[in-house]
């Protein structure tokens, strides 16, 4: 397998100009499609929004089973590979040594993988489920003990083993094909066992173009959500007007900061930002545990650890669901979102995981984030639900707008101005980390798998991601959040098939490698 990558034009050193290294078919197809989307969204926002709304309806009503099967299959594949003798294989060969310390590796993993999501949903999601603000998991009766129990199980379901398995199986397929088989660091390389040298022709190029589109739309959606959340925090806590102009300004500021980080590179930019993320997040978590209902939070952790495995099967099923508002509005959106992020986060994880054994890789990428999610959602979610139950502060009447719950929760705790500033800072740093990681990966994919493409190309992708996010916000108008959700669901469907297929190809590659 290792020698075949010489057929790839990029690996033979084909350049466009003297300063650029691009894979012509993949770069041009991806860039032109995305630029066309930005232009269409700006000159004809209403039709573009309607198209994404139609795609979202089609996916959630007719192809929901694709997303659900892909997520479940990824988890089963990860568990099977970790438990098998393949788990002993080291990425890069038996003598390979990790390039990053475990702490730095895990920090970068979290910064790329969770983005602004945990900040936003750590309080909002359990509180919303408990009150059935936008659907109750498994039709639980709002504001009951059962509703609270299922609120935390459902939150961890959306942020635990299953979604991280989507990242892990994609990342492992890429890491193994690149480090152990000598193929380019590109999504198409994972399909060599099925396609052979056709990964260097249009079938492989189509896979990479699909991955680039999913990556950019997934990141643009996160940029849009993050801008909305940051603007809501500035408005709610400090009186700054929450306007479309403010949200676009936030996206521009984050894009510029991400561009600077991308220019600095993986070690000097993303790694250092990721370490800042970890310490800021740890500080905020420690505060919530101390200032919030401490005993109840730890009790919730224990209860959820017991309940989550029991509820996993029911929450994973797509057959006969009568909680359609929750299922379509939360679970399907999440699975599409995680799947859309899978090429970018998977490739990023692959790139930083040289020297790790497959078993260590899977345990750290799947199990460790699940444990952190258990602690995070128990602390933040219980703080919000406690305020609802005790009639404290703005949450006394329940959830009004989910994007305000984090700010309302902090407002009712001591040192609110300080902790709100800390949360906003963490939000922006997460925001920047996700954007620059995604830019680095999109650039690598469109450069034929090159790990260190020229700076100008990295800047191009960072700016283009920001433009797509702005286009989605402007196109959505008053319903911008809905427009963002529709876009990510549409982007996630085609890549769901690619994720599962890459896992099956990985099994074939591991069997061949082990002979």
């Amino acid at each position: 397998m290792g020698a075949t990558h010489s057929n790839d034009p990029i690996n033979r050193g084909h350049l466009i100009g003297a300063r650029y290294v691009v894979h012509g078919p993949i770069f041009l197809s991806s860039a032109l499609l995305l630029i066309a989307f930005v232009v269409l969204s700006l000159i004809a926002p209403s039709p573009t929004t309607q198209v994404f709304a139609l795609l979202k309806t089609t996916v959630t009503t007719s192809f929901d089973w694709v997303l659900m099967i892909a997520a479940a299959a990824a988890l089963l594949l990860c568990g099977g590979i970790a438990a098998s003798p393949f788990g002993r294989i080291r990425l890069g060969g038996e003598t390979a040594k990790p390039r990053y310390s475990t702490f730095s590796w895990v920090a970068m993993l979290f910064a790329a993988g969770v983005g602004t999501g945990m900040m936003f949903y750590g309080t909002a999601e359990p509180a919303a489920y408990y009150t059935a603000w936008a659907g109750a998991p498994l039709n639980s009766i709002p504001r009951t003990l059962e509703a609270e129990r299922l609120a935390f199980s459902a939150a961890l379901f959306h942020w635990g083993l299953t979604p991280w398995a989507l990242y892990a199986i994609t990342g492992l397929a890429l890491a193994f094909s690149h480090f152990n088989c000598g193929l380019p660091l590109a999504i198409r390389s994972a399909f060599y066992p099925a396609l052979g040298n056709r990964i260097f022709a249009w079938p492989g190029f189509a896979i990479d173009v699909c991955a680039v589109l999913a990556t950019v739309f997934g990141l643009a959606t996160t940029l849009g959500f993050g801008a909305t959340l940051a603007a809501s925090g500035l408005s709610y806590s400090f009186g700054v007007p929450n306007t479309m102009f403010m949200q676009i300004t936030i996206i521009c500021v984050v894009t510029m900061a991400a561009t600077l980080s991308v220019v600095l590179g993986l070690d000097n930019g993303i790694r250092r930002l990721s370490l800042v993320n970890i310490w800021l997040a740890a500080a905020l978590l420690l505060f919530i545990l101390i200032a919030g209902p401490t005993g109840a939070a730890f009790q919730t952790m224990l209860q959820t650890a017991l309940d989550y495995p029991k509820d996993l099967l029911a929450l994973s099923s797509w057959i006969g669901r009568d909680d359609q508002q929750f299922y379509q509005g939360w679970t399907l959106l999440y699975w599409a979102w995680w799947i859309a992020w899978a090429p970018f986060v998977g490739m990023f994880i692959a790139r930083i995981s040289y020297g790790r054994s497959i078993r260590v890789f899977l345990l750290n990428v799947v199990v460790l984030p699940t444990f952190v999610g258990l602690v995070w959602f128990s602390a933040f979610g219980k703080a919000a639900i406690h305020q609802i139950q005790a009639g404290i502060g703005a949450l006394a009447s329940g959830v009004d707008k989910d994007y305000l719950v984090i700010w309302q929760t902090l407002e009712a705790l001591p040192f609110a101005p300080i902790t709100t500033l800390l949360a906003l800072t963490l939000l922006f740093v997460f925001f920047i980390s996700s954007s620059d990681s995604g830019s680095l990966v999109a650039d690598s994919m469109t450069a034929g798998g090159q790990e260190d493409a020229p700076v100008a190309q990295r800047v191009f992708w960072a700016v283009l991601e920001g433009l797509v996010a702005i286009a989605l916000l402007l196109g959505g108008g008053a319903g911008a959040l809905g427009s963002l959700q529709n876009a990510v669901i549409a982007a996630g469907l085609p890549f769901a098939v690619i994720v599962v297929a890459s896992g099956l190809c990985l099994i074939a590659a591991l069997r061949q490698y082990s002979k």
Side-chain angles (χ1 to χ4, degrees), residues 100 108 185 212 215 219 258-271 343-344 347-348 351-352 432-455 457-463 465:
Y100 300 98
M108 288 189 284
L185 186 60
V212 173
T215 294
L219 281 167
T259 301
L260 176 60
S261 179
V262 164
V263 169
L264 290 174
L266 183 61
D267 290 339
N268 294 324
I270 296 172
R271 184 180 65 84
F344 133 56
M347 183 175 289
F348 183 77
R351 183 169 176 176
I352 63 175
I432 295 165
S433 298
S434 296
S435 180
D436 61 11
S437 302
S439 303
L440 205 65
V441 166
D443 186 33
S444 177
M445 285 192 284
T446 55
Q450 296 290 317
E451 293 190 30
D452 294 300
V455 168
Q457 290 174 222
R458 303 182 213 169
V459 172
F460 171 81
W461 288 106
V463 172
E465 285 164 17

Side-chain angles (χ1 to χ4, degrees), residues 15 78 89 97 99 102 136 162 167 184 246 260 287 302 321 354 379 389 395 402:
L15 307 179
C78 286
I89 296 174
K97 301 295 182 184
R99 295 171 179 170
T102 300
T162 308
Y167 287 169
M246 172 57 67
L260 176 60
F287 169 79
L302 178 61
R321 295 291 291 260
Y354 178 85
Q389 293 170 334
L395 289 176
D402 58 346

Side-chain angles (χ1 to χ4, degrees), residues 1-306:
M1 293 177 68
T4 58
H5 73 290
S6 61
N7 293 322
D8 191 347
I10 293 305
N11 288 293
R12 292 204 309 266
H14 282 203
L15 307 179
I16 293 182
R19 299 169 54 200
Y20 306 107
V21 181
V22 303
H23 192 293
I26 299 171
F27 181 94
L28 293 175
S29 298
S30 304
L32 290 176
L33 285 170
L34 289 167
I35 291 170
F37 166 79
V38 171
V39 172
L40 284 173
S41 295
L42 295 178
I43 64 176
S46 182
T48 305
T49 302
Q50 290 172 7
V51 168
F52 276 112
L54 177 62
L55 289 172
K56 181 252 187 181
T57 301
T58 303
V59 171
T60 55
T61 57
S62 301
F63 295 98
D64 57 319
W65 56 274
V66 177
L67 299 177
M68 298 299 284
I69 288 176
L75 181 57
L76 291 173
L77 285 168
C78 286
I81 293 171
S84 74
F86 297 143
R88 295 193 296 267
I89 296 174
R90 188 171 294 276
L91 298 174
E94 291 302 315
T95 60
K97 301 295 182 184
R99 295 171 179 170
Y100 300 98
S101 69
T102 300
F103 187 77
S104 293
W105 179 49
V106 171
M108 288 189 284
L109 164 71
F110 272 95
V114 299
T116 59
M118 271 197 180
M119 279 294 302
F120 182 28
Y121 289 111
T123 52
E125 197 169 338
Y129 298 160
Y130 174 70
T131 59
W133 173 76
L138 305 180
N139 276 343
S140 58
I141 299 173
R143 298 174 183 260
T144 62
L145 288 176
E146 178 68 1
E148 183 174 352
R149 185 189 73 76
L150 278 171
F152 288 100
S153 279
L156 191 58
F157 171 62
H158 290 151
W159 292 86
L161 297 174
T162 308
W164 281 94
L166 290 164
Y167 287 169
I169 201 67
T170 308
L172 182 58
L174 291 171
F176 183 77
S177 62
H178 180 58
F179 294 130
N180 295 74
C181 303
L183 293 165
L185 186 60
I187 300 293
R188 58 195 160 98
S189 296
F191 291 85
Y192 187 86
L195 297 177
N197 285 339
R198 284 179 293 175
I199 67 167
F200 304 114
W202 71 264
F205 302 161
I207 290 170
D208 275 357
V209 169
C210 183
V212 173
L213 297 180
T215 294
V216 173
F217 276 112
L219 281 167
T221 301
T222 301
L223 287 173
F225 269 113
T228 302
L229 179 58
S232 71
L234 290 169
S235 175
Y236 186 83
S237 301
F238 301 104
V240 179
N242 184 358
T243 62
M244 182 66 71
F245 176 77
M246 172 57 67
Q247 294 173 23
I248 291 174
T249 300
I250 291 171
I251 290 176
C252 291
V253 170
V254 168
T255 299
M256 287 189 289
T259 301
L260 176 60
S261 179
V262 164
V263 169
L264 290 174
L266 183 61
D267 290 339
N268 294 324
I270 296 172
R271 184 180 65 84
R272 291 180 179 177
L273 268 178
S274 300
L275 293 174
V276 172
N277 271 338
I278 289 293
W279 291 116
L280 289 177
L284 187 60
L285 175 63
L286 183 62
F287 169 79
I288 292 292
L289 282 171
I290 293 172
T294 306
F298 282 103
Q299 184 177 355
T300 298
M301 289 179 208
L302 178 61
Q303 186 65 47
T304 305
L306 297 173

